[in-house]
Amino acid sequence: MNELQEKILALLVAKFQGVRKDGLQQLAAAIGLQVASEEEANQVVDKLTADKVNGFVTEWRRTADAEIKKANDTYEEGLRRKYDFKEKNTPDPNSAPDPNKPADGGAVTLDAISKLIDSKLKGVQDSITTLNADKVATSRRELFVAKLDEAKVDGRQREMMLRNFDRANTTFANDDDFNSYLTEVQGDIAALQQEHADSGLQGHEKPIFGAVNKDGISSGVADYIKARIAESENKTLTGKEV
């Protein structure tokens, strides 16, 4: 067993005390082939129940015992034939070979045990797949929310965009598919922000007398004041007619 499988075995032994260790070793080896880190192994072991583990070990032990018994019977039969031991109803050695007997003369095969492990661990594999998918979905949603926060999208518009994302989050085939969706959404957000900005500008009325200068006076008012000042000065300079 490698280091990860040994850690898994330790977890199984600690959690399922009293269960046959050889069965737990087989379960640890099988789980070790499905996970990539100790963290994932902990999560898988946490989801296992005593009933599932006992059922796995019982089925594995029954299959293993049957394979061992078959090998021993074949080995004993080989000895009888080799040393001319005979019993009643012993099959004729010249008859066709039994197709059900191992071709290697009694070596234990693990085919049946491997099939049992595959069938019993299907639920474990499904749990790992679901766990990984949930991690990816959560990470993508956090990134999407960060983009909304960055663009200061709030209110009903934010709720609507989050609902649409949650529906789409289960359909992304891979990271490229998700990034393509995120790029499109960023374009939509930019377009909405521009529309809001344009709408805000249209809501402001133009000054009646034109644009204002640095003193806050419109050009029309400034011209009017200049004209009145000039008119007043002309009247002051004009003397009384003789």
Side-chain angles (χ1 to χ4, degrees), residues 1 5-14 21 24-25 28:
M1 300 179 71
Q5 291 174 352
E6 290 178 353
K7 291 181 179 179
I8 296 172
L9 176 59
L11 293 173
L12 292 172
V13 171
K21 189 173 181 180
L24 294 180
Q25 286 176 331

Side-chain angles (χ1 to χ4, degrees), residues 94-164:
N94 296 322
S95 61
D98 187 350
N100 295 322
K101 293 180 181 178
D104 57 1
V108 178
T109 62
L110 297 179
D111 182 62
I113 298 176
S114 298
K115 290 180 179 179
L116 174 63
I117 292 175
D118 290 341
S119 63
K120 290 297 180 181
L121 285 181
K122 185 177 184 304
V124 177
Q125 294 171 351
D126 292 343
S127 298
I128 294 173
T129 301
T130 301
L131 179 64
N132 291 336
D134 289 344
K135 285 183 178 179
V136 172
T138 300
S139 176
R140 288 172 177 172
R141 194 179 197 278
E142 290 174 352
L143 180 57
F144 184 77
V145 170
K147 293 296 182 182
L148 295 182
D149 292 341
E150 181 182 344
K152 298 181 180 180
V153 179
D154 54 12
R156 298 280 295 178
Q157 181 181 337
R158 182 188 183 92
E159 295 175 1
M160 179 187 67
M161 297 185 76
L162 279 173
R163 283 198 301 271
N164 291 338

Side-chain angles (χ1 to χ4, degrees), residues 21 57-58 62 75 97 124 128 147 182 220:
K21 189 173 181 180
V57 173
T58 299
R62 182 182 296 116
Y75 177 71
V124 177
I128 294 173
K147 293 296 182 182
L182 195 61

